Amino acid sequence: MTPTDYLAATLLVAGALFFLAGTVGLLRFPDVYTRLHALTKADNVGLGLMVTGLALQAESWAVVGKLLLIWWLVLLAGASVSYLIASGALRRGIRPWRR
Amino acid sequence: MNTAVPYALVGVGLFALGFYALIVHAHLLRKILALNVMGSGVFLLLVALARRSGVALPDVVPQAMVITGIVVAISATALALTLMLRLAAASGRAELPDGRED
Amino acid sequence: MQTLYLTLALFLLLNLGAGMWRVLRGPSAADRMLAAQLFGTTAVAMLLLLAQASGNAALRDVALLFALLAAVTAVAFVRRAWPETEQVTDDDPN
Amino acid sequence: MATLTLLQSAFDILLGAALLWLAWRALNCPDLFKAIVLFVAFGLLMALAWVRLEAPDVALAEAAIGAGLTGALLMAALARLRAMTPDEEDSAKRLPLRWLPLAALLLVATGLSYVVLTLPPEAAGLGAEVATHLNSSGVDNPVTAVLLNFRGYDTLLEMVVLLLALLGVWSLGGPPLRRKAAPGPVLDTLARLLAPLLILVAAYLLWVGGHAPGGAFQAGSVLAAAAVLLLLAGWRLPVALTALPLRLTLVAGPGIFVALAVGTLLLEGQLLQYPPAQAGVLILLLEAVATLSIGVTLAALFLGGHPQNDNNDQNNKEQR
């Protein structure tokens, strides 16, 4: 294992932990808005860390480009869809959670 | 025992699950889902069985057939959904008459 | 590294299984859709890991398709299938 | 190495169990919307199963169709159904002899599993045959070679099936559901960004299909996804294009296939037997036209009724 490998492994594991955080948020948070918040942020960061880790191991720049494109697409879709769901939920009168 | 055999068994399971749901559920949308699950089971069985030897040259003919099958399945699903909607528009219910209520 | 890739892929699959609970539980349609969205992102990560583990570059194309198409089902939900009046009250005992 | 095998087996078993469980829940939970979401998740996991079975071509098709189009199709149908029948919940009537099909199917599943487990370990397939003739097929991807050269008649008939399904839908479907609500800036931007990318990826899949996983079906499905996204964002075809140009695009795929079949039958003496020197070009041409037809047909299937009914009174876009 080279230093790059160690760095990549650290990034991958960190990414996986963010995914775990996202899932815990999805299961434990009290309403749809907080769950949206947990999912979109944690998962997109998790995927970003994983993409960075995999990019360090990639065999060519084309692969790095594809990995970044995939991440960007997930960010775009995640951001737009979470906006659509949140505004739709508000319009339908689902009240945000208050302590 | 290699990768392929468990998936072939899952294919068998999916087929049986889908068939059961196709028989017991009255709602047509559920029947359409059941048909799709059955189809997925058959596809899985086809590809998994072709791959079970695990040799260097996997048989690609079943794979090609499954790709065709997936596209045919979605077009058949679209037609079935339209038929269901038509029936619902005509009778007010998305179920087949079962003869017991007449 | 191979072991790490596969371990992480397995971990993500378990994660996905846990997220399934939210699809079943709801309570609102939006919650179910949201969880399905999580599946898409997780599947992308899993595919990228498997691509690196197996050296099969085509799996990145599968991940690319997932990333592109994740939005289509969700948009279909928001624009078509989401009823204007949500009957379920969103109160979670947690 | 032992750890690797163990991890892979664990992955396979978990994935298989998840597939069976998802199918069970999707088919038996009372709420139809939940069933659809579970079915979409099922399609997603199916793509992973294809990956594990080393069938990336199938995984691409499943990803495009299972994860994208099927979900959109089912959601749109459910919305129309709800508009017609308010009590859409599946009552799951108690059949008097519910256990009878269960027992029969358990028997069938056991028998099938027994057959699967006792099959000889070596599959007597056509893998070697395909590999031998791959050089003369004009492409390097064996799946594309089978789909468009060795068994081109499958694909020809498949295009006809697609067209027939669309004819069925057009002759049955009422006017499609119309949402008057404006798509809003976010959805509009998303569609404007994603649709060109989807078209680009479709072209990439079409090109890459010659030597790596990809091809006309996958590309066509991605093209259809682009169209579906635009339709959902409120875009409609200009009225001028809904009559003849649309119909021509729809029949172009089967049409060029039939023309080529007749041509090869007359010149080479056999159906869809391309001269090896031109095979590569012919397949690419065929695939390009087929992609366009598949994409437009699938999108039209999503839209439901004939597009002319839909926008008699509209221009390029839905009223905002």
Side-chain angles (χ1 to χ4, degrees), chain C residues 2-3 6-7 9-10 13-14 16 20 23-24 29 32-33 36 39-40 43 46-47 50 56 58-59 61-62 64-66 68-69 71-73 75-81 83-84, chain D residues 4 7-8 10-11 14-15 21-22 25 31 33-34 37-38 41 44 47-48 51 56 60 63-64 67-68 71-72 75 79 82 179 181-183 187 194 198 201 204 213 222 225 232:
Chain C
Q2 287 274 327
T3 321
L6 282 173
T7 315
L10 189 63
L13 188 60
L14 284 169
L16 213 148
M20 222 96 87
V23 179
L24 289 175
R32 303 189 209 283
M33 201 58 237
F39 289 5
M46 272 155 78
L47 282 167
L50 290 177
N56 189 347
L59 302 193
D61 289 343
V62 183
L64 180 66
L65 283 197
F66 270 156
L68 273 167
L69 296 176
V72 174
T73 314
V75 171
F77 161 68
V78 173
R79 295 282 289 167
R80 295 276 190 274
E84 279 302 322
Chain D
L4 275 186
L7 277 171
Q8 282 177 344
F11 192 86
L14 197 61
L15 186 56
W21 186 69
L22 269 178
R25 295 300 309 166
D31 179 40
F33 175 73
K34 185 154 90 174
V37 174
L38 286 169
L44 225 120
L48 283 174
V51 164
L60 279 171
M75 297 244 180
R82 274 178 174 161
R179 280 287 284 248
L187 181 56
L194 272 189
L198 280 163
V201 169
Y204 162 73
V222 173
L232 286 171

Coordinates of all heavy atoms in Angstrom, one line a residue, chain C residues 2-3 6-7 9-10 13-14 16 20 23-24 29 32-33 36 39-40 43 46-47 50 56 58-59 61-62 64-66 68-69 71-73 75-81 83-84, chain D residues 4 7-8 10-11 14-15 21-22 25 31 33-34 37-38 41 44 47-48 51 56 60 63-64 67-68 71-72 75 79 82 179 181-183 187 194 198 201 204 213 222 225 232:
Chain C
Q2 N -9.0 -4.5 -2.7 CA -10.1 -5.2 -3.2 C -11.1 -5.5 -2.0 O -12.3 -5.3 -2.1 CB -9.6 -6.6 -3.7 CG -9.0 -6.5 -5.1 CD -10.0 -6.6 -6.2 OE1 -11.0 -7.2 -6.1 NE2 -9.7 -5.9 -7.3
T3 N -10.5 -6.0 -0.9 CA -11.3 -6.3 0.2 C -12.1 -5.1 0.7 O -13.2 -5.1 1.1 CB -10.4 -6.8 1.4 OG1 -9.4 -7.7 0.8 CG2 -11.2 -7.6 2.4
L6 N -15.0 -4.2 -1.6 CA -16.2 -5.1 -1.4 C -16.8 -4.9 0.0 O -18.1 -4.9 0.1 CB -15.7 -6.5 -1.6 CG -15.6 -6.9 -3.1 CD1 -15.0 -8.3 -3.2 CD2 -16.9 -6.9 -3.8
T7 N -16.0 -4.7 1.0 CA -16.6 -4.5 2.3 C -17.5 -3.3 2.3 O -18.6 -3.3 2.8 CB -15.5 -4.3 3.4 OG1 -14.5 -5.3 3.2 CG2 -16.0 -4.4 4.8
A9 N -18.9 -1.9 -0.3 CA -20.1 -2.1 -1.1 C -21.2 -2.9 -0.2 O -22.4 -2.6 -0.3 CB -19.8 -2.9 -2.3
L10 N -20.7 -3.9 0.5 CA -21.6 -4.7 1.4 C -22.2 -3.8 2.4 O -23.4 -3.8 2.7 CB -20.8 -5.8 2.0 CG -21.6 -6.8 2.8 CD1 -22.5 -7.6 1.9 CD2 -20.6 -7.8 3.5
L13 N -24.9 -1.8 1.0 CA -26.1 -2.6 0.7 C -26.9 -2.7 2.0 O -28.1 -2.6 2.0 CB -25.7 -3.9 0.2 CG -26.8 -4.8 -0.3 CD1 -27.6 -4.2 -1.4 CD2 -26.3 -6.2 -0.8
L14 N -26.2 -2.9 3.1 CA -26.9 -3.0 4.4 C -27.6 -1.7 4.7 O -28.7 -1.6 5.2 CB -25.9 -3.3 5.5 CG -25.4 -4.8 5.6 CD1 -24.2 -4.9 6.5 CD2 -26.6 -5.7 6.0
L16 N -28.7 0.4 2.6 CA -29.9 0.5 1.8 C -31.0 -0.3 2.4 O -32.2 0.2 2.4 CB -29.5 -0.1 0.4 CG -30.1 0.5 -0.8 CD1 -29.1 0.4 -1.9 CD2 -31.2 -0.4 -1.1
M20 N -34.9 0.9 3.6 CA -36.1 0.3 3.1 C -37.2 0.5 4.2 O -38.4 0.6 3.8 CB -35.9 -1.2 3.0 CG -36.5 -1.7 1.7 SD -35.3 -1.8 0.4 CE -34.5 -3.3 0.7
V23 N -39.3 3.4 3.5 CA -40.3 3.3 2.4 C -41.5 2.6 2.9 O -42.7 3.0 2.6 CB -39.7 2.4 1.3 CG1 -40.7 2.2 0.2 CG2 -38.4 3.1 0.7
L24 N -41.3 1.6 3.8 CA -42.5 0.8 4.3 C -43.3 1.7 5.3 O -44.5 1.6 5.3 CB -42.0 -0.4 5.0 CG -41.4 -1.5 4.0 CD1 -40.9 -2.6 4.8 CD2 -42.5 -2.0 3.1
A29 N -46.3 10.1 1.4 CA -45.8 9.7 0.1 C -44.4 10.3 -0.1 O -43.5 9.6 -0.7 CB -46.8 10.0 -1.0
R32 N -41.6 8.2 1.4 CA -41.3 7.0 0.6 C -40.4 7.4 -0.6 O -39.4 6.7 -0.9 CB -42.6 6.3 0.1 CG -43.5 6.0 1.2 CD -44.6 5.1 0.7 NE -45.8 5.3 1.5 CZ -46.1 4.7 2.7 NH1 -45.1 4.0 3.2 NH2 -47.2 4.9 3.3
M33 N -40.8 8.4 -1.3 CA -40.1 8.9 -2.5 C -38.7 9.2 -2.1 O -37.7 8.9 -2.8 CB -40.8 10.1 -3.1 CG -40.5 10.3 -4.5 SD -40.9 8.9 -5.5 CE -39.4 8.6 -6.3
A36 N -36.5 6.3 -1.7 CA -36.1 5.7 -3.0 C -35.0 6.5 -3.6 O -34.1 6.0 -4.3 CB -37.4 5.7 -3.9
F39 N -31.8 5.4 -2.3 CA -31.4 4.2 -2.9 C -30.6 4.5 -4.2 O -29.6 3.8 -4.4 CB -32.6 3.3 -3.4 CG -33.4 2.7 -2.2 CD1 -33.0 3.0 -0.9 CD2 -34.4 1.9 -2.4 CE1 -33.7 2.4 0.1 CE2 -35.1 1.3 -1.4 CZ -34.7 1.6 -0.1
G40 N -31.0 5.5 -4.9 CA -30.3 5.8 -6.2 C -28.9 6.2 -5.9 O -27.9 5.7 -6.5
A43 N -26.8 3.3 -4.6 CA -26.5 2.4 -5.7 C -25.4 2.9 -6.6 O -24.5 2.2 -7.1 CB -27.8 2.1 -6.6
M46 N -22.2 2.2 -4.8 CA -21.9 0.8 -4.8 C -21.4 0.4 -6.2 O -20.4 -0.3 -6.3 CB -23.2 0.0 -4.6 CG -23.4 -0.3 -3.1 SD -25.1 -0.5 -2.8 CE -25.3 -2.2 -3.3
L47 N -22.0 0.9 -7.3 CA -21.5 0.6 -8.6 C -20.1 1.1 -8.8 O -19.3 0.4 -9.5 CB -22.5 1.2 -9.6 CG -23.8 0.4 -9.8 CD1 -24.8 1.2 -10.6 CD2 -23.5 -0.9 -10.5
L50 N -17.8 -1.2 -7.1 CA -17.7 -2.5 -7.8 C -16.9 -2.4 -9.1 O -16.2 -3.3 -9.5 CB -19.1 -3.1 -8.1 CG -19.9 -3.6 -6.9 CD1 -21.3 -4.0 -7.3 CD2 -19.2 -4.7 -6.2
N56 N -14.1 -3.5 -14.3 CA -15.0 -3.5 -15.4 C -15.5 -2.0 -15.6 O -16.4 -1.6 -14.8 CB -16.2 -4.4 -15.2 CG -17.1 -4.6 -16.4 OD1 -16.9 -3.8 -17.3 ND2 -17.9 -5.6 -16.4
A58 N -17.4 -0.7 -17.6 CA -18.8 -0.5 -18.1 C -19.7 -0.2 -16.9 O -20.7 0.4 -17.0 CB -19.3 -1.7 -18.8
L59 N -19.3 -0.6 -15.7 CA -20.1 -0.4 -14.5 C -20.2 1.1 -14.2 O -21.2 1.5 -13.6 CB -19.6 -1.2 -13.3 CG -19.5 -2.7 -13.4 CD1 -19.2 -3.3 -12.1 CD2 -20.7 -3.2 -14.1
D61 N -20.6 3.3 -16.5 CA -21.7 3.8 -17.3 C -23.0 3.5 -16.7 O -24.0 4.3 -16.8 CB -21.6 3.1 -18.7 CG -20.4 3.6 -19.5 OD1 -19.9 4.7 -19.1 OD2 -20.0 3.0 -20.5
V62 N -23.1 2.3 -16.0 CA -24.4 2.0 -15.3 C -24.6 3.0 -14.2 O -25.7 3.5 -14.0 CB -24.3 0.6 -14.7 CG1 -25.7 0.2 -14.0 CG2 -24.0 -0.5 -15.8
L64 N -23.5 6.0 -14.2 CA -23.9 7.3 -14.9 C -25.3 7.3 -15.2 O -26.0 8.3 -15.0 CB -23.0 7.4 -16.1 CG -23.2 8.7 -17.0 CD1 -22.7 9.9 -16.3 CD2 -22.5 8.5 -18.3
L65 N -25.9 6.2 -15.7 CA -27.3 6.1 -16.0 C -28.1 6.3 -14.7 O -29.1 7.1 -14.8 CB -27.7 4.8 -16.6 CG -27.3 4.6 -18.1 CD1 -28.0 3.5 -18.7 CD2 -27.6 5.9 -18.9
F66 N -27.7 5.7 -13.6 CA -28.5 5.9 -12.4 C -28.5 7.3 -12.0 O -29.5 7.9 -11.6 CB -27.8 5.1 -11.3 CG -28.4 3.7 -11.1 CD1 -27.6 2.7 -10.6 CD2 -29.6 3.4 -11.6 CE1 -28.1 1.4 -10.4 CE2 -30.1 2.1 -11.5 CZ -29.3 1.1 -10.9
L68 N -28.2 9.9 -13.8 CA -29.0 10.7 -14.8 C -30.5 10.5 -14.6 O -31.3 11.4 -14.7 CB -28.6 10.3 -16.2 CG -27.5 11.1 -16.9 CD1 -27.1 10.3 -18.2 CD2 -27.8 12.5 -17.2
L69 N -30.8 9.2 -14.3 CA -32.2 8.9 -14.3 C -32.9 9.0 -12.9 O -34.1 8.8 -12.8 CB -32.4 7.5 -14.9 CG -32.0 7.4 -16.4 CD1 -32.2 6.0 -16.9 CD2 -32.9 8.3 -17.2
A71 N -33.5 11.4 -11.2 CA -34.4 12.5 -11.1 C -35.7 12.2 -11.8 O -36.8 12.7 -11.4 CB -33.8 13.7 -11.7
V72 N -35.7 11.3 -12.8 CA -36.9 11.2 -13.7 C -38.1 10.6 -12.9 O -39.2 11.2 -12.9 CB -36.6 10.3 -14.9 CG1 -37.9 10.0 -15.7 CG2 -35.6 11.0 -15.8
T73 N -37.9 9.5 -12.1 CA -39.0 9.0 -11.3 C -39.4 10.0 -10.3 O -40.7 10.1 -10.1 CB -38.5 7.7 -10.6 OG1 -37.8 6.9 -11.5 CG2 -39.7 6.9 -10.0
V75 N -39.3 13.2 -10.4 CA -40.1 14.3 -11.0 C -41.4 13.8 -11.4 O -42.4 14.5 -11.3 CB -39.3 14.8 -12.2 CG1 -40.2 15.8 -13.0 CG2 -38.0 15.6 -11.8
A76 N -41.5 12.5 -11.9 CA -42.8 12.0 -12.2 C -43.7 11.9 -11.0 O -44.9 12.2 -11.0 CB -42.7 10.6 -12.8
F77 N -43.1 11.6 -9.8 CA -43.8 11.6 -8.6 C -44.4 13.0 -8.3 O -45.6 13.2 -8.0 CB -43.0 11.1 -7.4 CG -43.5 11.5 -6.1 CD1 -44.6 10.9 -5.6 CD2 -42.8 12.4 -5.3 CE1 -45.1 11.3 -4.3 CE2 -43.3 12.8 -4.0 CZ -44.4 12.2 -3.6
V78 N -43.5 14.0 -8.3 CA -43.9 15.4 -7.9 C -44.9 15.9 -8.9 O -45.9 16.6 -8.4 CB -42.6 16.3 -7.9 CG1 -43.0 17.7 -7.6 CG2 -41.7 15.9 -6.8
R79 N -44.7 15.7 -10.2 CA -45.6 16.3 -11.2 C -46.9 15.5 -11.4 O -47.9 16.0 -11.9 CB -44.9 16.4 -12.5 CG -43.8 17.4 -12.4 CD -44.2 18.8 -12.5 NE -44.7 19.2 -13.8 CZ -45.4 20.3 -14.0 NH1 -45.6 21.1 -13.0 NH2 -45.8 20.6 -15.2
R80 N -46.9 14.2 -11.1 CA -48.1 13.4 -11.4 C -48.7 12.7 -10.2 O -49.9 12.9 -10.0 CB -47.7 12.3 -12.5 CG -47.3 12.8 -13.8 CD -48.5 13.1 -14.7 NE -48.1 13.4 -16.1 CZ -47.7 14.6 -16.5 NH1 -47.7 15.6 -15.7 NH2 -47.4 14.8 -17.8
A81 N -47.9 11.9 -9.6 CA -48.6 10.9 -8.6 C -48.8 11.5 -7.3 O -49.5 10.9 -6.5 CB -47.7 9.7 -8.5
P83 N -50.7 13.2 -4.7 CA -52.1 13.8 -4.5 C -52.0 15.2 -3.9 O -51.2 15.5 -3.1 CB -52.8 12.8 -3.6 CG -51.7 12.0 -3.0 CD -50.5 12.0 -3.8
E84 N -52.9 16.0 -4.4 CA -52.9 17.4 -3.9 C -53.2 17.5 -2.4 O -52.8 18.4 -1.8 CB -53.9 18.2 -4.7 CG -53.4 18.7 -6.1 CD -52.2 19.5 -6.0 OE1 -52.0 20.3 -5.0 OE2 -51.3 19.4 -6.8
Chain D
L4 N -12.2 -12.5 0.1 CA -12.9 -11.9 -1.1 C -14.1 -12.7 -1.5 O -15.2 -12.2 -1.7 CB -11.9 -11.8 -2.3 CG -11.0 -10.6 -2.3 CD1 -10.3 -10.6 -3.6 CD2 -11.9 -9.4 -2.2
L7 N -16.9 -12.3 1.1 CA -17.5 -11.0 0.9 C -18.5 -11.0 -0.3 O -19.6 -10.6 -0.2 CB -16.5 -9.9 0.7 CG -15.8 -9.4 2.0 CD1 -14.7 -8.4 1.6 CD2 -16.9 -8.6 2.8
Q8 N -18.0 -11.6 -1.4 CA -18.9 -11.7 -2.6 C -20.1 -12.5 -2.3 O -21.2 -12.1 -2.7 CB -18.1 -12.2 -3.7 CG -17.1 -11.2 -4.3 CD -16.3 -11.7 -5.4 OE1 -16.2 -12.9 -5.6 NE2 -15.7 -10.8 -6.2
A10 N -21.5 -13.1 0.6 CA -22.4 -12.3 1.5 C -23.2 -11.3 0.7 O -24.4 -11.1 0.9 CB -21.5 -11.7 2.6
F11 N -22.5 -10.6 -0.2 CA -23.1 -9.6 -1.0 C -24.3 -10.2 -1.9 O -25.4 -9.7 -1.9 CB -22.1 -8.9 -2.0 CG -22.6 -7.7 -2.6 CD1 -22.5 -6.4 -2.0 CD2 -23.1 -7.7 -3.9 CE1 -22.9 -5.3 -2.6 CE2 -23.6 -6.6 -4.5 CZ -23.5 -5.4 -3.9
L14 N -27.2 -11.4 0.3 CA -28.0 -10.2 0.8 C -28.8 -9.6 -0.3 O -30.0 -9.2 -0.1 CB -27.0 -9.2 1.4 CG -27.6 -8.1 2.3 CD1 -28.2 -8.8 3.5 CD2 -26.5 -7.2 2.8
L15 N -28.2 -9.4 -1.4 CA -28.9 -8.8 -2.6 C -30.1 -9.7 -3.0 O -31.2 -9.2 -3.2 CB -27.9 -8.7 -3.7 CG -28.4 -7.9 -5.0 CD1 -28.9 -6.6 -4.6 CD2 -27.3 -7.8 -6.0
W21 N -37.5 -10.0 -0.9 CA -38.3 -9.3 0.1 C -39.0 -8.1 -0.5 O -40.2 -7.9 -0.3 CB -37.4 -8.9 1.3 CG -38.2 -8.3 2.4 CD1 -39.0 -8.9 3.3 CD2 -38.2 -6.9 2.8 NE1 -39.5 -8.1 4.2 CE2 -39.0 -6.8 3.9 CE3 -37.5 -5.8 2.3 CZ2 -39.3 -5.6 4.6 CZ3 -37.8 -4.6 3.0 CH2 -38.6 -4.5 4.1
L22 N -38.3 -7.3 -1.3 CA -38.9 -6.2 -2.0 C -40.1 -6.6 -2.9 O -41.1 -6.0 -2.9 CB -37.9 -5.5 -2.9 CG -37.1 -4.4 -2.2 CD1 -36.1 -3.8 -3.2 CD2 -38.0 -3.3 -1.8
R25 N -43.0 -7.5 -0.7 CA -43.7 -6.3 -0.1 C -44.4 -5.5 -1.2 O -45.5 -5.0 -1.0 CB -42.7 -5.4 0.6 CG -42.0 -6.0 1.8 CD -43.0 -6.4 2.9 NE -44.0 -5.3 3.2 CZ -45.1 -5.5 3.9 NH1 -45.4 -6.7 4.4 NH2 -45.8 -4.5 4.2
D31 N -51.1 -0.4 0.1 CA -51.1 0.9 -0.5 C -50.4 0.8 -1.9 O -49.3 0.4 -2.0 CB -50.3 1.9 0.4 CG -50.2 3.3 -0.2 OD1 -51.2 3.7 -0.8 OD2 -49.1 3.9 -0.1
F33 N -49.4 3.2 -4.0 CA -48.2 4.1 -4.2 C -47.0 3.5 -3.6 O -45.9 3.4 -4.2 CB -48.5 5.5 -3.7 CG -47.3 6.4 -3.8 CD1 -46.9 6.9 -5.0 CD2 -46.5 6.6 -2.7 CE1 -45.8 7.7 -5.1 CE2 -45.4 7.4 -2.8 CZ -45.0 7.9 -4.0
K34 N -47.1 2.9 -2.4 CA -46.0 2.3 -1.8 C -45.5 1.1 -2.6 O -44.3 0.9 -2.8 CB -46.4 1.8 -0.4 CG -45.3 1.2 0.5 CD -45.7 1.3 1.9 CE -46.4 0.1 2.5 NZ -46.6 0.1 3.9
V37 N -43.3 2.5 -5.4 CA -42.0 2.9 -4.9 C -41.1 1.6 -4.7 O -39.9 1.6 -5.0 CB -42.1 3.8 -3.7 CG1 -40.7 4.0 -3.1 CG2 -42.8 5.1 -4.0
L38 N -41.7 0.6 -4.0 CA -41.0 -0.6 -3.8 C -40.6 -1.3 -5.1 O -39.5 -1.8 -5.2 CB -41.8 -1.5 -2.9 CG -41.9 -1.1 -1.4 CD1 -43.0 -2.0 -0.8 CD2 -40.6 -1.3 -0.7
A41 N -37.6 0.5 -6.4 CA -36.4 0.1 -5.7 C -36.0 -1.3 -6.2 O -34.8 -1.7 -6.3 CB -36.6 0.1 -4.2
L44 N -34.0 -1.2 -9.3 CA -32.7 -0.7 -9.0 C -31.8 -1.8 -8.6 O -30.6 -2.0 -9.0 CB -32.8 0.3 -7.9 CG -32.0 1.6 -8.0 CD1 -33.0 2.7 -7.9 CD2 -31.1 1.7 -6.9
A47 N -30.7 -4.2 -11.3 CA -29.5 -3.7 -12.1 C -28.3 -4.2 -11.4 O -27.3 -4.6 -12.0 CB -29.6 -2.2 -12.3
L48 N -28.3 -4.1 -10.1 CA -27.1 -4.6 -9.3 C -26.9 -6.1 -9.5 O -25.7 -6.6 -9.6 CB -27.2 -4.2 -7.8 CG -27.0 -2.8 -7.4 CD1 -27.3 -2.6 -6.0 CD2 -25.5 -2.4 -7.7
V51 N -25.2 -6.7 -12.7 CA -23.8 -6.4 -12.5 C -23.0 -7.6 -11.9 O -22.0 -8.0 -12.4 CB -23.6 -5.1 -11.7 CG1 -22.2 -5.0 -11.2 CG2 -24.0 -3.9 -12.4
P56 N -23.2 -6.6 -18.0 CA -23.3 -5.1 -17.9 C -24.2 -4.6 -18.9 O -24.9 -3.5 -18.7 CB -21.9 -4.6 -18.1 CG -21.1 -5.8 -18.7 CD -21.8 -7.0 -18.2
L60 N -27.2 -2.1 -17.9 CA -27.5 -0.8 -18.5 C -29.0 -0.6 -18.9 O -29.6 0.4 -18.7 CB -26.6 -0.5 -19.8 CG -25.2 -0.1 -19.5 CD1 -24.4 -0.2 -20.8 CD2 -25.1 1.3 -18.9
A63 N -31.0 -0.4 -15.8 CA -30.9 0.9 -15.2 C -31.7 2.0 -15.9 O -32.3 2.8 -15.2 CB -29.4 1.3 -15.1
A64 N -31.7 2.0 -17.2 CA -32.4 3.0 -18.0 C -33.9 2.8 -17.8 O -34.6 3.7 -17.6 CB -32.0 3.0 -19.4
A67 N -35.0 1.8 -13.6 CA -34.8 2.9 -12.6 C -35.5 4.1 -13.1 O -35.8 5.0 -12.3 CB -33.4 3.1 -12.3
G68 N -35.7 4.3 -14.4 CA -36.2 5.6 -14.9 C -37.6 5.5 -15.4 O -38.5 6.0 -14.9
G71 N -40.8 3.5 -13.5 CA -41.3 4.3 -12.4 C -42.2 5.4 -12.8 O -43.3 5.6 -12.3
A72 N -41.7 6.1 -13.8 CA -42.5 7.3 -14.3 C -43.8 6.8 -14.9 O -44.9 7.4 -14.7 CB -41.7 8.0 -15.4
M75 N -46.2 5.7 -12.1 CA -46.7 6.9 -11.4 C -47.8 7.7 -12.2 O -48.8 8.1 -11.6 CB -45.5 7.8 -11.1 CG -44.5 7.2 -10.2 SD -44.4 8.0 -8.7 CE -43.1 7.1 -7.9
A79 N -51.7 8.2 -11.1 CA -52.3 9.5 -11.0 C -53.6 9.5 -11.8 O -54.6 10.0 -11.3 CB -51.4 10.5 -11.5
R82 N -56.3 7.4 -10.0 CA -56.8 8.1 -8.9 C -57.8 9.2 -9.3 O -58.8 9.4 -8.6 CB -55.7 8.7 -8.1 CG -55.1 7.8 -7.1 CD -54.0 8.5 -6.4 NE -53.4 7.6 -5.3 CZ -52.2 7.8 -4.8 NH1 -51.5 8.8 -5.2 NH2 -51.8 7.1 -3.8
R179 N -51.6 18.6 -16.6 CA -51.4 19.4 -15.4 C -51.2 20.9 -15.8 O -50.4 21.2 -16.7 CB -50.0 19.0 -14.8 CG -50.1 17.8 -13.9 CD -50.8 18.1 -12.6 NE -50.0 18.8 -11.7 CZ -49.6 18.2 -10.6 NH1 -49.8 17.0 -10.3 NH2 -48.9 18.9 -9.7
A181 N -50.5 23.3 -13.7 CA -49.6 23.9 -12.8 C -48.2 24.1 -13.6 O -47.8 23.3 -14.3 CB -49.3 23.1 -11.6
A182 N -47.7 25.3 -13.4 CA -46.4 25.6 -14.1 C -45.3 24.8 -13.5 O -45.4 24.5 -12.3 CB -46.1 27.1 -13.9
P183 N -44.3 24.4 -14.3 CA -43.3 23.6 -13.7 C -42.4 24.3 -12.7 O -41.8 23.6 -11.8 CB -42.4 23.2 -14.9 CG -42.7 24.2 -15.9 CD -44.1 24.6 -15.7
L187 N -37.6 23.0 -11.7 CA -37.8 21.9 -12.6 C -37.4 22.2 -14.0 O -36.9 21.4 -14.7 CB -39.3 21.5 -12.5 CG -39.7 20.3 -13.3 CD1 -38.8 19.1 -13.0 CD2 -41.1 19.9 -13.1
L194 N -30.6 18.6 -17.8 CA -30.5 17.2 -17.9 C -30.8 16.6 -19.3 O -30.2 15.7 -19.8 CB -31.4 16.5 -16.9 CG -30.8 16.2 -15.5 CD1 -31.8 15.4 -14.7 CD2 -29.5 15.6 -15.6
L198 N -28.8 13.8 -21.3 CA -29.3 12.5 -21.6 C -29.2 12.2 -23.0 O -28.9 11.0 -23.4 CB -30.8 12.5 -21.2 CG -31.1 12.3 -19.7 CD1 -32.5 12.7 -19.3 CD2 -30.9 10.9 -19.2
V201 N -25.6 11.3 -23.6 CA -25.3 10.0 -23.1 C -25.9 8.9 -24.0 O -25.3 7.8 -24.2 CB -25.8 9.8 -21.7 CG1 -25.7 8.4 -21.2 CG2 -24.9 10.7 -20.8
Y204 N -23.6 8.5 -26.8 CA -22.4 7.8 -26.3 C -22.6 6.3 -26.2 O -21.8 5.5 -26.6 CB -22.0 8.4 -24.9 CG -21.1 7.5 -24.1 CD1 -19.7 7.4 -24.5 CD2 -21.5 6.8 -23.0 CE1 -18.8 6.6 -23.8 CE2 -20.6 6.0 -22.3 CZ -19.3 5.9 -22.7 OH -18.5 5.1 -21.9
P213 N -20.1 -2.7 -23.5 CA -21.5 -2.7 -23.2 C -22.2 -1.4 -23.5 O -21.7 -0.3 -23.3 CB -21.4 -2.9 -21.7 CG -20.3 -3.7 -21.5 CD -19.3 -3.3 -22.5
V222 N -32.6 5.7 -22.9 CA -32.1 7.0 -22.3 C -32.7 8.2 -23.1 O -33.1 9.2 -22.5 CB -30.6 7.0 -22.3 CG1 -30.1 8.4 -21.9 CG2 -30.0 6.0 -21.4
A225 N -36.0 8.6 -21.8 CA -36.0 9.3 -20.5 C -35.9 10.8 -20.7 O -36.6 11.6 -19.9 CB -34.9 8.7 -19.6
L232 N -42.6 15.9 -18.6 CA -43.0 16.2 -17.2 C -42.8 17.6 -16.9 O -43.5 18.2 -16.0 CB -42.2 15.3 -16.3 CG -42.6 13.8 -16.2 CD1 -41.6 13.0 -15.4 CD2 -44.0 13.7 -15.6

